[in-house]
């Protein structure tokens, strides 16, 4: 009995002590909770911070008295159909050829911001004219710079046209990823392409004229092979699609990268890495006959085309002026067109012509005419680069881009048979150019001697 009383007495003491401990702990916790106070991280509330960010960005954009340079990359995701006929061991068909983003290349836009308006000019139009529309700057989940109202220049790649029903991958809304040293890094809201907005340090018109001069130096040019890190690398230049392809390691590896034309030469959208050597830019040499690396470790000569394109450069699908194979293909295209449109037929004459490209550049292409019984007709224009071949000064390649985008182009009326015929000419390249007579050149396919035609000089 005494033992039981002792045990109860101990338990009562423990219970009392536990109560004291619990009460003391709660009191300490209460005091800590009441006395603890964290210093605020921001001096402003969220709404004030958003308004401040908007004001600061607008102040930076509009506070600059000069112009801003926007490096703009529309998103066009295409297989490189212009390459595979020449790399048949690596890519035997378009099914095997990988697709590439930004397959139209990059373009320069010059912008000026003032009182909620943006004034734009660009190399994508033939002149240095300016156009003023409205812009906005808002914040949702990210800060967004938007070009709100339609304009021919600022919406060049965003607007649908007759030949480009789905437009050409343009952007009008841009997330502002960061601002460093007064340079904005933008990201297209629809397609995610990275672009930059930085202060233009030269005269606007001088800059645009320089860009046009440099891009014209690339027109009609191939590139000679180079050695990178001890590896021989073949280069393929696509002037009006602003791409360079790199083929190396015995034609088993292939890279393709979009570029933008700069005052010095070209700059790639993303660096190209081959054998631990990284290329971000290439510069023109002094007389603009080659592209060289910034460290001058290699130089690739610009190879001119042996074929000069004029408005009189005509192919005639007639006996003695074209091979039986091509005449057969022409007759098939003609029959196809007549089945589609009973009121017309394809002309026997196809022109290789100089033209203005979709982005305002000087360009070249193929003109195919749909004629009616009274001799009138409609011209269809298909953009094609005629470029030189490295190591073969008498050869020319045809690199197709697609329909020309202009009001004068009626290719959509008869495009399937016309494009099929044009692509036969393109995919039979490269051609050896022979001096057939004082009046004609003779072009013979390097891959198939059964494909040949005369063109008027």
């Amino acid at each position: 009995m005494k033992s039981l009383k002792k045990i109860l007495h101990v338990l009562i003491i423990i219970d009392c002590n536990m109560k004291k401990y619990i009460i003391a702990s709660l009191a300490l916790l209460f005091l800590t909770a009441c006395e603890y106070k964290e210093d605020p991280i921001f001096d402003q509330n969220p709404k004030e911070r958003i308004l401040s960010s908007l004001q600061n960005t607008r102040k930076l954009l509009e506070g600059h008295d000069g112009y801003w340079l926007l490096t703009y990359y529309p998103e066009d995701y295409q297989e490189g159909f212009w390459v595979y006929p020449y790399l048949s061991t690596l890519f035997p068909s378009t099914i095997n050829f990988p697709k590439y983003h930004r397959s139209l290349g990059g373009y320069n836009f010059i912008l000026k911001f003032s009182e909620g308006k943006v004034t734009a000019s660009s190399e994508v139009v033939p002149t240095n004219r300016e156009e003023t529309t409205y812009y906005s700057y808002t914040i949702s989940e990210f800060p967004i710079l938007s070009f709100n109202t339609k304009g021919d220049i600022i919406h060049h790649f965003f607007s649908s046209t007759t030949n480009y029903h789905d437009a050409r991958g343009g952007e009008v809304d841009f997330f502002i990823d960061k601002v460093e040293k007064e340079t904005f890094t933008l990201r297209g809201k629809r397609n995610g392409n990275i672009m930059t907005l930085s202060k233009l340090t030269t005269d606007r018109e001088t800059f645009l004229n320089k860009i046009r001069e440099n891009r014209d130096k690339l027109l009609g040019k191939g590139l000679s092979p180079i050695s990178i890190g001890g590896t021989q690398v073949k280069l393929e230049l696509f002037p009006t699609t602003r791409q360079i392809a790199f083929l190396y390691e015995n034609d088993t590896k292939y890279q393709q990268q979009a570029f933008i034309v700069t005052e010095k030469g070209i700059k790639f959208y993303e660096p190209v890495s081959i054998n631990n050597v990284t290329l971000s830019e290439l510069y023109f040499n002094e007389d603009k006959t080659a592209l060289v690396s910034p460290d001058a470790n290699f130089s690739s000569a610009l190879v001119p085309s042996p074929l000069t394109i004029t408005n009189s450069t005509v192919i005639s699908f007639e006996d003695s002026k074209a091979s039986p194979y091509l005449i057969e293909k022409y007759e098939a295209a003609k029959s196809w067109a007549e089945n589609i449109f009973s009121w017309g037929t394809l002309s026997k004459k196809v022109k290789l012509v100089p033209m203005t490209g979709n982005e305002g550049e000087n360009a070249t292409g193929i003109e195919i005419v749909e004629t009616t019984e009274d001799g009138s007709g409609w011209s269809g224009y298909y953009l094609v680069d005629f470029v030189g071949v490295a190591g073969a000064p008498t050869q020319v390649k045809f690199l197709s881009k697609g329909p020309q985008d202009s009001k004068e182009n009626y290719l959509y009326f008869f495009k399937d048979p016309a494009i099929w015929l044009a692509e036969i000419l393109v995919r039979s390249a490269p051609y050896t150019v022979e001096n057939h007579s004082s009046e004609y050149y003779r072009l013979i396919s390097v891959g198939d001697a059964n494909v040949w035609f005369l063109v008027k000089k």
Side-chain angles (χ1 to χ4, degrees), residues 29-39:
L29 180 62
F30 178 75
L31 289 172
T32 302
C34 291
E35 291 178 1
Y36 176 75
K37 183 179 180 181
E38 182 179 4
D39 292 334

Side-chain angles (χ1 to χ4, degrees), residues 445-457:
S445 171
V446 173
D448 185 354
N450 292 315
V451 181
W452 61 266
F453 54 88
L454 304 183
V455 293
K456 198 160 186 173
K457 293 182 179 178

